[in-house]
Amino acid sequence: MTSIDAEPAMETIAPELAELAGLIADPGRASILSRLMDGRPQTASELALVAGVTPQTASWHLSRLVERALLKVERRGPRRFYRLATPLVAQMLEGMMTVAAIDPHPSRPPPRIDPEMRRARTCYDHLAGELGVAVTDAMRDRGHLNLDQEAGELTASGRAFLGDFGIDLHAPARGRRILCRPCLDWSERRPHLAGRAGAAVADLALQRDWIRRRPQGRSVEITDAGLLAFRNLFGARI
């Protein structure tokens, strides 16, 4: 019998991937990460309530997430606030949510999605849900945006359109991030606008009271003025 030597194992990132997946798989830590997807910093006690664990257990979860660079901590006087470390972490979590929402058993009833979350929410720092997709579609239909599942580009007319609102996409605070990219919406299964441009549109909507954050969670309320603005100024079918 001829023996066949096994090829040397190639170095891969599989161990790190398994370690990261195991870290996120804990229900308490998954709840913490999901809550922080709205971009707002939270204290350890607030996150303990979300995760349904004791403050001591929450502190242990948070220290592990900070150590793995999924979260960062900010000190404000005697208090410490936690938030997602980078937009890349939010992008990873949104992708996982999209995959998690895919039902491998089509015969089963589809998973229930909270109507407020489906209607309008923030995905870290940009708009998502029906609102985010509608704004993205409207900007694309008007030639302000080229966007598909793979990449995005803000056109000259798109820069001018956002510039008319006083949006400076070259501000130093925004300059380190990609300008325009697609983010696959987990409830709509279609891309919405992310990157500096997407964050700028969300900031504009908040500043002009077109949307209002709810006390808890990622869903946002579209105001009457916002509904008119999104429809008349952006041409969104919302």
Side-chain angles (χ1 to χ4, degrees), residues 31-52:
S31 296
I32 288 171
L33 291 168
S34 179
R35 169 54 60 88
L36 293 174
M37 278 288 289
D38 70 355
R40 287 180 287 185
Q42 303 268 316
T43 65
S45 58
E46 290 170 328
L47 293 170
L49 289 175
V50 169

Side-chain angles (χ1 to χ4, degrees), residues 103-145:
D103 189 352
H105 305 287
S107 60
R108 295 191 309 196
R112 180 182 178 276
I113 299 175
D114 181 86
E116 291 180 348
M117 282 281 284
R118 166 160 269 166
R119 176 67 168 168
R121 64 180 184 273
T122 53
C123 175
Y124 187 56
D125 61 359
H126 54 270
L127 300 176
E130 293 173 355
L131 174 62
V133 171
V135 168
T136 300
D137 287 348
M139 291 183 66
R140 185 165 44 198
D141 291 345
R142 292 187 170 190
H144 299 328
L145 180 66

Side-chain angles (χ1 to χ4, degrees), residues 3-223:
S3 62
I4 302 176
D5 294 332
E7 294 184 4
M10 296 180 62
E11 291 187 5
T12 71
I13 200 171
E16 289 81 4
L17 178 61
E19 184 261 339
L20 178 62
L23 186 66
I24 297 173
D26 179 90
R29 290 192 287 270
S31 296
I32 288 171
L33 291 168
S34 179
R35 169 54 60 88
L36 293 174
M37 278 288 289
D38 70 355
R40 287 180 287 185
Q42 303 268 316
T43 65
S45 58
E46 290 170 328
L47 293 170
L49 289 175
V50 169
V53 297
T54 65
Q56 293 79 8
T57 300
S59 295
W60 178 70
H61 285 321
L62 290 167
S63 65
R64 294 201 63 191
L65 292 169
V66 170
E67 181 182 356
R68 190 56 182 79
L70 294 180
L71 299 184
K72 64 181 178 181
V73 59
E74 302 171 353
R75 292 184 179 274
R76 300 180 188 176
R79 306 181 73 190
R80 307 206 312 176
F81 289 82
Y82 295 85
R83 66 190 316 158
L84 297 185
T86 67
L88 184 61
V89 176
Q91 185 179 350
M92 174 192 70
L93 293 172
E94 186 74 9
M96 293 178 70
M97 291 174 184
T98 302
V99 175
I102 298 173
D103 189 352
H105 305 287
S107 60
R108 295 191 309 196
R112 180 182 178 276
I113 299 175
D114 181 86
E116 291 180 348
M117 282 281 284
R118 166 160 269 166
R119 176 67 168 168
R121 64 180 184 273
T122 53
C123 175
Y124 187 56
D125 61 359
H126 54 270
L127 300 176
E130 293 173 355
L131 174 62
V133 171
V135 168
T136 300
D137 287 348
M139 291 183 66
R140 185 165 44 198
D141 291 345
R142 292 187 170 190
H144 299 328
L145 180 66
N146 295 321
L147 193 80
D148 58 23
Q149 299 280 0
E150 302 297 329
E153 176 190 24
L154 197 66
T155 65
S157 70
R159 291 172 184 269
F161 173 70
L162 295 182
D164 288 341
F165 292 109
I167 293 175
D168 180 8
L169 293 172
H170 300 288
R174 299 187 187 277
R176 294 185 296 273
R177 292 180 56 193
I178 189 169
L179 174 62
C180 176
R181 68 168 180 83
C183 181
L184 185 60
D185 196 289
W186 62 264
S187 61
E188 301 304 299
R189 307 288 178 86
R190 298 171 56 208
H192 57 244
L193 176 63
R196 300 200 315 269
V201 171
D203 287 346
L204 175 72
L206 286 165
Q207 291 166 8
R208 298 203 174 184
D209 197 37
W210 294 347
I211 60 172
R212 294 173 185 167
R213 292 190 186 276
R214 302 186 192 276
Q216 298 291 337
R218 294 168 55 194
S219 66
V220 296
E221 175 191 358
I222 306 175
T223 65

